[in-house]
Amino acid sequence: MKYSNQQSTRQGPAPAPATAAQPTSGPLTREELQLAARNHSMPLEALRRDVTPPGLHYVLTHFDIPDLDGSSWHLRISGAVERALELSMAALRRDPAITVPVTLECAGNGRSLLEPRPLSQPWVLEAVGTAHWTGVPLAYLLGKAGVLPDAVEVVFTGADAGVQGGVPQRYARSLPIREALRPDVVLAYQMNGTDLPPQHGYPLRLVVPGWYGMASVKWLESIEVVKTPFAGFQQEVAYRYQDSADDAGTPVSRIRVRALMVPPGVPDFFTRQRFLRAGPVLLVGRAWSGEGAVTAVDVGIDGTWLPAHLDKPAGGYAWRRWSLPWVANPGEHVLSCRATDITGASQPLEQNWNLQGMGNNVVQRVHVTVE
């Protein structure tokens, strides 16, 4: 079986969705539970932290985690460049480095809340995390290689191999040249000041601030500058907004605006229903957007919306803390939070369904019992 990231030309009918199974309203399948056990989300109580520890940061691994030796690993840069490069980790660490705080979110976050539910990794709300990523600016290395004038995209291929949609492949994605040359796109070898953990892409990964996590290719092995758009599976079939299987759809790119709340009080073990005592409570959470700064967060208390206080953001593409004092009266309550970004986009109050379950940024609702 051959694993490839070769380009293909799409002709005829639109591609099949990334999963062969149709959306369902039934219980979670064995396959979904298996995926949920392999991947993990960030516990919502970790929203209290400015920076997410690697073990709490969300993880999505499409295939298997490669077992790579950083001392023998090399990165290849080739294609439509003036000079091809092959770089060891030691050589990369001698290049200029930057550290960028970035909130990464899975494009499928919120998928399991859709009705009917697309069959894939059954995220609820917590497929997110914020880390400080340290490495070499991608633009610096592309400058050393010399991108040719007629180049249109840059293709990134990881070491992780498998089969998806019946297609043998290595995980590969591309970025338009204008995105690849942004000064904040980084080839990261450290996460929060230490070497990347295996599940987060050791020894090197791409981090694309503002884009959903599928763009930040892990276990990076090669970078190819190309003169025609890349049409690999993860680009042309997976990660698209589709209304139906016959819809070619539009590509997923930047993160839609979202706010999440630390659920107040304490949980019931099985249902996660929240319980807290009556009296003053400080509601807190985080908000972010891949389109620019979050400008407002409104908190809903039983349908009444109040403006929250916003702290200063940690960076241009890192989440922003919000808070709101609340006097909790005895009874049942529903708490919500809704963010707005600098473009004027706000989170929808109702879910926007799509075939692959992408970009579902519907407002969070937390049910609490005040005693």
Side-chain angles (χ1 to χ4, degrees):
M1 185 176 288
K2 184 178 181 182
Y3 300 94
S4 172
N5 70 330
Q6 292 180 353
Q7 301 178 48
S8 63
T9 301
R10 190 175 71 195
Q11 297 178 342
T19 175
Q22 293 300 306
T24 179
S25 297
L28 286 175
T29 66
R30 179 176 298 179
E31 290 79 9
E32 288 176 292
L33 292 173
Q34 183 172 240
L35 285 174
R38 284 190 53 82
N39 302 303
H40 75 81
S41 56
M42 182 200 72
L44 287 178
E45 56 268 29
L47 289 166
R48 297 189 181 98
R49 299 171 178 261
D50 293 333
V51 178
T52 312
L56 294 180
H57 196 289
Y58 97 93
V59 170
L60 176 65
T61 303
H62 283 77
F63 304 124
D64 286 350
I65 297 173
D67 184 18
L68 302 177
D69 181 357
S71 64
S72 60
W73 168 95
H74 285 76
L75 174 69
R76 299 181 303 278
I77 303 177
S78 61
V81 295
E82 295 174 357
R83 62 196 69 85
L85 303 177
E86 186 160 342
L87 302 165
S88 67
M89 181 54 65
L92 280 172
R93 287 178 179 267
R94 289 194 294 268
D95 285 330
I98 59 173
T99 297
V100 186
V102 178
T103 296
L104 288 179
E105 182 180 11
C106 184
N109 199 15
R111 175 185 288 121
S112 70
L113 301 176
L114 294 173
E115 176 61 35
R117 179 183 77 254
L119 286 172
S120 187
Q121 168 66 28
W123 296 121
V124 183
L125 289 172
E126 303 94 338
V128 67
T130 296
H132 287 176
W133 304 96
T134 299
V136 183
L138 173 63
Y140 173 81
L141 291 180
L142 292 178
K144 288 179 67 173
V147 175
L148 296 181
D150 53 350
V152 297
E153 289 186 354
V154 183
V155 181
F156 306 88
T157 302
D160 46 331
V163 181
Q164 188 173 351
V167 179
Q169 60 190 274
R170 290 188 182 275
Y171 186 89
R173 289 274 311 182
S174 70
L175 286 175
I177 286 289
R178 66 181 182 278
E179 292 288 332
L181 292 178
R182 285 168 42 191
D184 54 359
V185 175
V186 61
L187 299 177
Y189 46 73
Q190 287 189 338
M191 179 183 190
N192 295 346
T194 60
D195 288 351
L196 294 175
Q199 72 273 27
H200 286 291
Y202 178 86
L204 190 76
R205 69 172 296 168
L206 178 68
V207 176
V208 185
W211 283 53
Y212 280 113
M214 79 284 160
S216 295
V217 178
K218 294 183 283 188
W219 310 292
L220 197 59
E221 282 197 334
S222 69
I223 298 173
E224 183 182 8
V225 182
V226 295
K227 297 181 179 181
T228 57
F230 176 62
F233 183 91
Q234 301 295 337
Q235 199 84 21
E236 287 292 289
V237 181
Y239 294 106
R240 300 186 75 83
Y241 295 112
Q242 294 172 277
D243 292 330
S244 68
D246 296 326
D247 175 20
T250 58
V252 174
S253 57
R254 289 184 176 267
I255 298 172
R256 292 176 172 176
V257 63
R258 185 193 290 275
L260 288 178
M261 175 188 303
V262 177
V266 297
D268 173 77
F269 167 74
F270 187 68
T271 66
R272 311 307 295 180
Q273 171 76 20
R274 309 300 298 191
F275 298 91
L276 64 156
R277 293 180 179 177
V281 178
L282 183 65
L283 302 177
V284 298
R286 305 278 171 170
W288 61 94
S289 172
E291 296 289 352
V294 169
T295 56
V297 171
D298 294 306
V299 177
I301 300 174
D302 300 324
T304 299
W305 295 92
L306 301 170
H309 170 77
L310 290 175
D311 290 358
K312 291 182 63 175
Y317 291 103
W319 57 25
R320 191 172 186 180
R321 184 180 182 272
W322 60 262
S323 59
L324 179 77
W326 174 47
V327 178
N329 296 316
E332 303 293 326
H333 301 279
V334 178
L335 309 179
S336 306
C337 52
R338 188 186 194 194
T340 301
D341 68 21
I342 197 167
T343 71
S346 296
Q347 293 177 255
L349 298 177
E350 302 297 332
Q351 295 161 349
N352 295 319
W353 192 91
N354 62 86
L355 187 67
Q356 294 189 31
M358 297 291 167
N360 179 20
N361 65 333
V362 68
V363 298
Q364 175 192 18
R365 292 179 173 87
V366 180
H367 294 262
V368 301
T369 299
V370 179
E371 300 173 319

